[in-house]
Amino acid sequence: MRILVTGGCGFIGSDFIHMLLTDMPDVDICNLDSLTYAGNPANLEGVEGRFAGRYTFARADIADLSAVERILAEQRIEAVVNFAAETHVDRSIADAAPFLHTNVLGLHALLTAAQRRGLASFVHVSTDEVYGSLTPEAPAFTEADPLVPNSPYSASKASGDLLCRAWHETYAFPVIVTRCSNNYGPRQFPEKLIPFMYFRACEDQPLPVYGTGKNVRDWIHVRDHCRGIWLALTRGRPGAVYNFGGAAERSNLTVVHRILDFCGKPASLIRFVADRPGHDFRYAMDYSLARRELGFAPSRTFEQGLAETLDWYRGNPAWISNVTSGAYRTFLKTWYGDRL
Ligand code: NAD
Ligand code: TYD
């Protein structure tokens, strides 16, 4: 199968490419990525050489319809998995425009090109954040729950999910949407909670915990998420939506304490700072549909996966200095200001 993976230089897309090239000898991949601040070619270092003839890279914007159409044709693509997105909630609060460009208009161009070409498989990677926020006692989100996004990021992702629905209902286009909880693992850009807190703890910098730190996320290892996406691509029902989760609800404070323990650093580094506006309190996923229809189940406990992940960051200092460049430092100053 020849697959177009978009956003393959990002955190999850690169893990998906590593997994397929290593485990699925019959799969060839074209990685289409515009290389935003979050797109890091070092995430796929050595892949072109090790998997010669099975991997190509095309630098393009998913919103560029003619470029996407050309790549689908030239690469003789049979399936699309769309990871490309603007993904950081805090950045969406500062400026929503790039989120609407990629997560809505970009997805529209991809769907249009794929439908015109008559592709039989298209997986759009979405998020639990489209469902909004849960109270502590509420049952986990199911696919039947309404979309109630609260941040510009989640609103743009929910809009994308609705476009997918419309493409299935209107054009019978066989798109599948997957919604997953918070991922962690190697190669995550260090604006997200786990690598961010780890790098700061290593440097004895204060750790800015929003609000009370009691907000809850359900954590899943990136490889478990990627296995779920592969199952959706190969066994999923066209038009379906599948939730994936890690069965690992933890408060932010619990996660930060575990990182401090791993680094051997004191809790006095924690600094409670002004909350994120519109901060969702809790996410939790009911993934029984994916278990039943796809055979999906997460394979790692959070504690095991977190230790492996932090070991990876510890063992890859060159990767870290590569991503924490000047632009990253500027973002931190602009976003956190005097909260740090
Ligand atoms: P990321 O920010 O690490 O990477 C995004 C990638 O998309 C980058 O390589 C970037 O260069 C590329 N990109 C951005 N705009 C583009 C455009 N217009 N054209 C082409 N490429 C573009 O993101 P991630 O954490 O790997 O997330 C991947 C997908 O998974 C996203 O759709 C996200 O919404 C979804 N998701 C993420 C999580 C999570 O916890 N990280 C959880 C659930 C769902
Ligand atoms: P994040 O990794 O940004 O993912 P998301 O907002 O998409 O869930 O944040 C995870 C949680 O950690 C979220 O509740 C916000 C919180 N958080 C902090 O408390 N401080 C921080 O500096 C960051 C980046 C996140």
Side-chain angles (χ1 to χ4, degrees), residues 55-78:
Y55 173 81
T56 50
F57 175 70
R59 186 170 187 176
D61 183 339
I62 57 164
D64 180 344
L65 179 60
S66 53
V68 174
E69 287 191 310
R70 179 177 44 74
I71 290 162
L72 290 180
E74 280 176 8
Q75 295 288 329
R76 292 172 287 111
I77 295 297
E78 295 162 298

Short mmCIF file of all heavy atoms in Angstrom, two decimals, residues 55-78:
data_model
loop_
_atom_site.label_atom_id
_atom_site.label_comp_id
_atom_site.label_asym_id
_atom_site.label_seq_id
_atom_site.Cartn_x
_atom_site.Cartn_y
_atom_site.Cartn_z
N TYR A 55 10.48 5.36 1.14
CA TYR A 55 10.12 6.61 1.83
C TYR A 55 10.51 7.81 0.97
O TYR A 55 11.64 7.88 0.48
CB TYR A 55 10.86 6.70 3.18
CG TYR A 55 10.67 8.05 3.85
CD1 TYR A 55 9.52 8.34 4.58
CD2 TYR A 55 11.64 9.06 3.72
CE1 TYR A 55 9.34 9.58 5.17
CE2 TYR A 55 11.45 10.30 4.31
CZ TYR A 55 10.30 10.55 5.03
OH TYR A 55 10.11 11.78 5.62
N THR A 56 9.55 8.73 0.77
CA THR A 56 9.89 10.00 0.10
C THR A 56 9.32 11.14 0.92
O THR A 56 8.33 10.96 1.65
CB THR A 56 9.30 10.10 -1.32
OG1 THR A 56 7.91 9.76 -1.24
CG2 THR A 56 9.98 9.20 -2.30
N PHE A 57 9.95 12.31 0.77
CA PHE A 57 9.48 13.49 1.49
C PHE A 57 9.07 14.56 0.49
O PHE A 57 9.76 14.79 -0.51
CB PHE A 57 10.60 14.04 2.39
CG PHE A 57 10.20 15.33 3.06
CD1 PHE A 57 9.22 15.34 4.05
CD2 PHE A 57 10.79 16.55 2.68
CE1 PHE A 57 8.83 16.53 4.66
CE2 PHE A 57 10.39 17.73 3.29
CZ PHE A 57 9.41 17.72 4.28
N ALA A 58 7.93 15.21 0.74
CA ALA A 58 7.51 16.33 -0.11
C ALA A 58 7.18 17.51 0.80
O ALA A 58 6.28 17.40 1.65
CB ALA A 58 6.27 15.95 -0.92
N ARG A 59 7.91 18.60 0.62
CA ARG A 59 7.59 19.78 1.44
C ARG A 59 6.45 20.53 0.78
O ARG A 59 6.57 21.05 -0.33
CB ARG A 59 8.82 20.68 1.58
CG ARG A 59 8.53 21.81 2.54
CD ARG A 59 9.76 22.60 2.90
NE ARG A 59 9.43 23.56 3.96
CZ ARG A 59 10.31 24.33 4.56
NH1 ARG A 59 11.58 24.26 4.22
NH2 ARG A 59 9.92 25.16 5.51
N ALA A 60 5.30 20.58 1.44
CA ALA A 60 4.14 21.28 0.90
C ALA A 60 3.16 21.57 2.02
O ALA A 60 3.23 20.96 3.10
CB ALA A 60 3.45 20.43 -0.18
N ASP A 61 2.24 22.49 1.73
CA ASP A 61 1.18 22.87 2.68
C ASP A 61 -0.06 22.06 2.31
O ASP A 61 -0.45 22.04 1.13
CB ASP A 61 0.94 24.38 2.50
CG ASP A 61 -0.09 24.95 3.47
OD1 ASP A 61 -0.91 24.17 4.01
OD2 ASP A 61 -0.07 26.18 3.66
N ILE A 62 -0.70 21.43 3.28
CA ILE A 62 -1.91 20.64 2.93
C ILE A 62 -3.02 21.53 2.37
O ILE A 62 -3.94 21.04 1.72
CB ILE A 62 -2.47 19.79 4.11
CG1 ILE A 62 -2.80 20.64 5.33
CG2 ILE A 62 -1.55 18.64 4.47
CD1 ILE A 62 -3.70 19.92 6.35
N ALA A 63 -2.94 22.83 2.62
CA ALA A 63 -3.97 23.74 2.10
C ALA A 63 -3.74 24.09 0.63
O ALA A 63 -4.58 24.75 0.02
CB ALA A 63 -4.02 25.01 2.95
N ASP A 64 -2.61 23.66 0.08
CA ASP A 64 -2.28 23.96 -1.32
C ASP A 64 -2.84 22.84 -2.20
O ASP A 64 -2.20 21.81 -2.44
CB ASP A 64 -0.75 24.07 -1.43
CG ASP A 64 -0.29 24.40 -2.85
OD1 ASP A 64 -1.09 24.26 -3.79
OD2 ASP A 64 0.89 24.76 -3.00
N LEU A 65 -4.07 23.06 -2.68
CA LEU A 65 -4.81 22.00 -3.39
C LEU A 65 -4.04 21.46 -4.59
O LEU A 65 -3.95 20.24 -4.78
CB LEU A 65 -6.18 22.54 -3.83
CG LEU A 65 -7.06 21.56 -4.59
CD1 LEU A 65 -7.38 20.32 -3.77
CD2 LEU A 65 -8.36 22.24 -5.03
N SER A 66 -3.44 22.36 -5.38
CA SER A 66 -2.77 21.83 -6.60
C SER A 66 -1.54 21.02 -6.21
O SER A 66 -1.24 19.99 -6.85
CB SER A 66 -2.46 22.93 -7.61
OG SER A 66 -1.75 23.95 -6.99
N ALA A 67 -0.82 21.45 -5.17
CA ALA A 67 0.35 20.65 -4.74
C ALA A 67 -0.10 19.28 -4.24
O ALA A 67 0.50 18.25 -4.58
CB ALA A 67 1.11 21.39 -3.64
N VAL A 68 -1.18 19.25 -3.47
CA VAL A 68 -1.66 17.97 -2.94
C VAL A 68 -2.11 17.07 -4.10
O VAL A 68 -1.77 15.88 -4.15
CB VAL A 68 -2.81 18.18 -1.93
CG1 VAL A 68 -3.40 16.84 -1.50
CG2 VAL A 68 -2.33 18.96 -0.70
N GLU A 69 -2.82 17.63 -5.06
CA GLU A 69 -3.30 16.82 -6.21
C GLU A 69 -2.12 16.25 -6.99
O GLU A 69 -2.13 15.08 -7.38
CB GLU A 69 -4.19 17.68 -7.12
CG GLU A 69 -5.54 17.94 -6.48
CD GLU A 69 -6.56 18.55 -7.45
OE1 GLU A 69 -6.19 19.55 -8.10
OE2 GLU A 69 -7.68 18.03 -7.52
N ARG A 70 -1.11 17.08 -7.18
CA ARG A 70 0.08 16.62 -7.93
C ARG A 70 0.77 15.48 -7.18
O ARG A 70 1.11 14.45 -7.78
CB ARG A 70 1.03 17.81 -8.13
CG ARG A 70 2.31 17.47 -8.88
CD ARG A 70 3.20 18.68 -9.13
NE ARG A 70 3.35 19.57 -7.98
CZ ARG A 70 4.10 19.30 -6.91
NH1 ARG A 70 4.78 18.18 -6.84
NH2 ARG A 70 4.18 20.18 -5.91
N ILE A 71 0.92 15.62 -5.86
CA ILE A 71 1.63 14.60 -5.08
C ILE A 71 0.83 13.28 -5.06
O ILE A 71 1.39 12.20 -5.21
CB ILE A 71 1.92 15.14 -3.65
CG1 ILE A 71 2.97 16.25 -3.74
CG2 ILE A 71 2.38 14.03 -2.71
CD1 ILE A 71 3.04 17.15 -2.51
N LEU A 72 -0.48 13.39 -4.92
CA LEU A 72 -1.31 12.17 -4.93
C LEU A 72 -1.12 11.41 -6.24
O LEU A 72 -1.01 10.17 -6.25
CB LEU A 72 -2.79 12.50 -4.74
CG LEU A 72 -3.25 13.00 -3.37
CD1 LEU A 72 -4.76 13.27 -3.39
CD2 LEU A 72 -2.92 12.01 -2.26
N ALA A 73 -1.06 12.17 -7.34
CA ALA A 73 -0.94 11.53 -8.66
C ALA A 73 0.48 10.98 -8.86
O ALA A 73 0.67 9.80 -9.18
CB ALA A 73 -1.30 12.53 -9.76
N GLU A 74 1.48 11.85 -8.66
CA GLU A 74 2.87 11.44 -8.93
C GLU A 74 3.29 10.25 -8.06
O GLU A 74 4.02 9.37 -8.50
CB GLU A 74 3.82 12.61 -8.65
CG GLU A 74 3.86 13.61 -9.78
CD GLU A 74 4.73 14.83 -9.44
OE1 GLU A 74 5.42 14.85 -8.39
OE2 GLU A 74 4.68 15.77 -10.24
N GLN A 75 2.82 10.24 -6.82
CA GLN A 75 3.25 9.19 -5.89
C GLN A 75 2.32 7.97 -5.94
O GLN A 75 2.49 7.03 -5.18
CB GLN A 75 3.27 9.75 -4.45
CG GLN A 75 4.30 10.84 -4.24
CD GLN A 75 5.72 10.31 -4.24
OE1 GLN A 75 5.97 9.18 -3.85
NE2 GLN A 75 6.66 11.11 -4.70
N ARG A 76 1.32 8.02 -6.80
CA ARG A 76 0.34 6.92 -6.94
C ARG A 76 -0.19 6.48 -5.56
O ARG A 76 -0.18 5.31 -5.18
CB ARG A 76 0.97 5.73 -7.68
CG ARG A 76 1.26 6.05 -9.14
CD ARG A 76 2.05 4.97 -9.82
NE ARG A 76 3.44 4.93 -9.39
CZ ARG A 76 3.98 3.97 -8.67
NH1 ARG A 76 3.28 2.91 -8.31
NH2 ARG A 76 5.25 4.03 -8.30
N ILE A 77 -0.68 7.49 -4.81
CA ILE A 77 -1.13 7.27 -3.43
C ILE A 77 -2.46 6.51 -3.40
O ILE A 77 -3.38 6.80 -4.16
CB ILE A 77 -1.28 8.64 -2.71
CG1 ILE A 77 0.08 9.32 -2.59
CG2 ILE A 77 -1.98 8.49 -1.36
CD1 ILE A 77 1.11 8.60 -1.74
N GLU A 78 -2.54 5.53 -2.47
CA GLU A 78 -3.77 4.75 -2.31
C GLU A 78 -4.54 5.09 -1.04
O GLU A 78 -5.72 4.80 -0.91
CB GLU A 78 -3.41 3.25 -2.28
CG GLU A 78 -2.82 2.79 -3.60
CD GLU A 78 -2.07 1.48 -3.47
OE1 GLU A 78 -1.07 1.44 -2.71
OE2 GLU A 78 -2.48 0.51 -4.11
#
